[in-house]
Amino acid sequence: MLGEMNLKHRVASHFRRLFRPPGDSLLRVQEPVLHGRENHRSNSPQPKNNNERKADRKSGDRITSVNIGLTGKCNLRCIMCSAGHSLHFSGLSRPHTELSDLAFERLLAALGDVDVVSISGRGEPLLATNLPEKLKRIRKASPRARLLLTTNGTLLRGKAFIEQILEQIDALHISANGIHSSYDAIMHGGRFERLLENMEEIAVVAKRYEHFNELAVGYVIMRQNVEHISKAAHIYRDIGFDGIIYRELSVCDERLREESIRYDTRLLEKAKKEIQAAESCAEPNRFWVSSLDLFPAQSSAAESWRTRFKKGNSPLISKCGRPWTEFLVDEEGNVLICCIRNTRIGNLNESAFLGIWNCDEAVRYREGLINGKPYKHCRNCRVLYPDEKEHYENMINKRF
C-alpha cells in the first residue's frame, strides 16, 4: 500500500512539473532559430537516434511537427476523405471556409523551430487565397523547417505556377489513390489522364531546384484500387517521381466500412502481394516504396503498448508522443492535438497559441497517455489499438 501511495505521489508530482501554466519552459513555443535552407537529401543533419527522440517526447518542450489546413474548399469529392466522402454520397457542396488572417498570424508566431510544416488539411491547398505568398510567410516564420505540401495535383499545372509553388517548398506529395478507372471512381471529379499530364510537367520542373528533395505519391489502399497497387508504382516511377507511400484506409464513417480491406482476408492477402510486387520496382537513389506499419500483426502493437504501463515501468513511456510534439490547425482555426478531427483543444480566432497549448483539455490528453487511461478519442485510436476490432467499431459508430 505504501509503495502504491509513493508511486501516486511521484506521478502527481510529475504532473505538477510537466503541466504548468502558460509560459512554463517545458511547454513553451521557442523563438525561431535562423538557418539556411538545406537539401534534405544530401546536406541535412543526421536524423535523431531513438534515445534522442524519446528525450524529446519526455521533455515536451519543443514542437517538432505542425499540420496546417488553409482552406476547406476542394475541387474533388474523394470517397476516402473525411470531408469529401459525405459530400460524395449526399451531393452537397463543400463549405468555403478559409483560415482567417488573425488565426494565420497567430499560427506563424507559434511555428518557431519546428522540424516539419505540412500544408494539407481537409481541403485542397491550391485553392487557398494567395497560396504562394502564404508559403513565403510560413518559410520566413520557420526557415529551418522542412516544408511539405500535399495536394490532389489536379490544379498544379502550367510552368509558371508550378515554379511559384516549388520555389517555397522542400517536398510535394500528390494524392493519387488509384490509376485509370479506379482513380476516376475514387477521386470523384478528377480525370486520371489529365492528372498524369500535370505530374509529368511537375517532375520536369522539380529537377531544376536543388533545395527540392522529395516528389512522392500518396496511395490509400481500399477495395476499389487493390488491383492497381503495383501498377501505380511502376507508372509513377516511370514519369520521374521519387517514391510512393501506401497507407491503409482510415474508416471514419459507416459508409466507408465496405471500402476497408482490414478484415477481408482475401483482399488483405491480395494487397500484401501487390505491395511486394510494387517493392520490386524500387531502385536505389531513383525510386522508393513506403508501406511501413501497413496492416500490422494482430493485436501485437496494442499489447505492447498496454504492457508499458504495468507497475514498475516509467509512467512517461507511451506509444504516442503527439500531444507533446505535434499539433494541427484546420481551416476554421481549430487547434487539434491529433489528426482525429474531434481532438480540438482551442481556436486561434479566440486565443493565442500558447494559452491553447497549455489549456486543461490538452493536459487531459497528455495525462491519459501517461497514466494509461486514454482520454476521449484516444480510447479508440488505431495507433494505440491498431488491431482490436472493438475499437475499430467504436470509432466508426462514434462511441467514445
Side-chain angles (χ1 to χ4, degrees), residues 7 24-25 46 49 52 92 167 177 193 197-198 203 226 230-231 283-284 311 316 348 383 386 398:
L7 176 61
D24 172 73
S25 61
Q46 291 297 314
N49 61 40
E52 287 174 322
L92 299 174
E167 283 174 357
N177 304 297
E193 299 305 326
E197 293 176 4
N198 292 357
V226 170
S230 61
K231 292 179 181 177
E283 300 179 23
K311 186 176 179 180
L316 274 178
L348 289 174
V383 172
K398 308 294 189 294

Side-chain angles (χ1 to χ4, degrees), residues 249-299:
L249 174 67
S250 178
V251 178
C252 56
D253 187 275
E254 182 68 33
R255 288 170 174 156
L256 282 180
R257 184 198 298 269
E258 293 183 1
E259 279 297 327
S260 174
I261 68 171
R262 172 172 279 256
Y263 295 105
D264 187 317
T265 305
R266 183 184 65 84
L267 286 180
L268 267 177
E269 288 304 313
K270 174 67 175 175
K272 290 175 182 178
K273 290 179 180 178
E274 283 285 320
I275 289 173
Q276 289 176 353
E279 290 173 342
S280 69
C281 80
E283 300 179 23
N285 301 319
R286 184 188 171 192
F287 189 80
W288 47 263
V289 175
S290 172
S291 58
L292 295 177
D293 301 323
L294 194 60
F295 314 121
Q298 186 75 17
S299 298

Side-chain angles (χ1 to χ4, degrees), residues 28-275:
R28 71 184 183 278
V29 178
Q30 297 180 345
E31 291 297 318
V33 177
L34 298 180
H35 293 276
R37 294 177 68 178
E38 298 165 329
N39 185 321
H40 292 265
R41 179 176 290 159
S42 58
N43 300 322
S44 60
Q46 291 297 314
K48 296 179 179 178
N49 61 40
N50 289 335
N51 290 333
E52 287 174 322
R53 291 187 184 280
K54 287 179 181 178
D56 278 348
R57 289 187 174 188
K58 290 181 180 180
S59 66
D61 64 352
R62 190 171 80 85
I63 295 169
T64 59
S65 178
V66 180
N67 187 296
I68 304 171
L70 294 174
T71 180
K73 295 183 287 187
C74 191
N75 58 322
L76 302 183
R77 297 182 180 184
C78 305
I79 65 172
M80 77 291 166
C81 174
S82 60
H85 80 276
S86 58
L87 301 176
H88 172 77
F89 287 107
S90 67
L92 299 174
S93 60
R94 188 190 294 259
H96 290 184
T97 308
E98 285 212 16
L99 190 66
S100 70
D101 291 342
L102 173 61
F104 185 67
E105 293 298 329
R106 285 175 168 172
L107 170 63
L108 293 179
L111 291 181
D113 190 29
V114 301
D115 295 332
V116 179
V117 177
S118 300
I119 312 296
S120 55
R122 297 190 302 161
E124 169 49 52
L126 295 178
L127 287 174
T129 303
N130 203 4
L131 177 62
E133 181 59 31
K134 287 179 177 175
L135 292 176
K136 287 180 183 179
R137 297 202 60 198
I138 292 171
R139 170 62 67 197
K140 184 177 180 180
S142 190
R144 73 171 292 274
R146 183 170 188 262
L147 187 50
L148 163 66
L149 176 68
T150 300
T151 169
N152 62 42
T154 59
L155 301 176
L156 191 53
R157 55 180 178 264
K159 178 175 175 288
F161 184 50
I162 295 173
E163 288 176 344
Q164 276 188 304
I165 300 301
L166 297 192
E167 283 174 357
Q168 301 303 325
I169 63 177
D170 301 296
L172 179 71
H173 289 181
I174 293 182
S175 299
N177 304 297
I179 59 173
H180 303 300
S181 60
S182 62
Y183 174 90
D184 293 349
I186 293 168
M187 313 286 283
H188 188 69
R191 294 293 300 276
F192 181 71
E193 299 305 326
R194 182 62 184 272
L195 174 67
L196 207 57
E197 293 176 4
N198 292 357
M199 294 172 76
E200 289 172 346
E201 186 176 17
I202 293 167
V204 171
V205 176
K207 293 176 182 178
R208 303 172 188 168
Y209 294 96
E210 290 186 2
H211 75 272
F212 188 85
N213 61 81
E214 185 173 290
L215 185 58
V217 172
Y219 192 107
V220 177
I221 297 174
M222 59 191 85
R223 188 174 297 272
Q224 293 189 52
N225 65 16
V226 170
E227 298 285 341
H228 293 157
I229 290 174
S230 61
K231 292 179 181 177
H234 286 83
I235 288 175
Y236 300 132
R237 180 198 62 181
D238 292 345
I239 65 173
F241 270 56
D242 297 325
I244 186 167
I245 305 165
Y246 293 110
R247 296 186 177 93
E248 180 188 0
L249 174 67
S250 178
V251 178
C252 56
D253 187 275
E254 182 68 33
R255 288 170 174 156
L256 282 180
R257 184 198 298 269
E258 293 183 1
E259 279 297 327
S260 174
I261 68 171
R262 172 172 279 256
Y263 295 105
D264 187 317
T265 305
R266 183 184 65 84
L267 286 180
L268 267 177
E269 288 304 313
K270 174 67 175 175
K272 290 175 182 178
K273 290 179 180 178
E274 283 285 320
I275 289 173

Side-chain angles (χ1 to χ4, degrees), residues 296-306 319 382-387:
Q298 186 75 17
S299 298
S300 60
E303 181 61 29
S304 172
W305 179 81
R306 281 196 300 271
K319 188 176 177 63
R382 62 179 184 162
V383 172
L384 302 182
Y385 304 100
D387 299 293

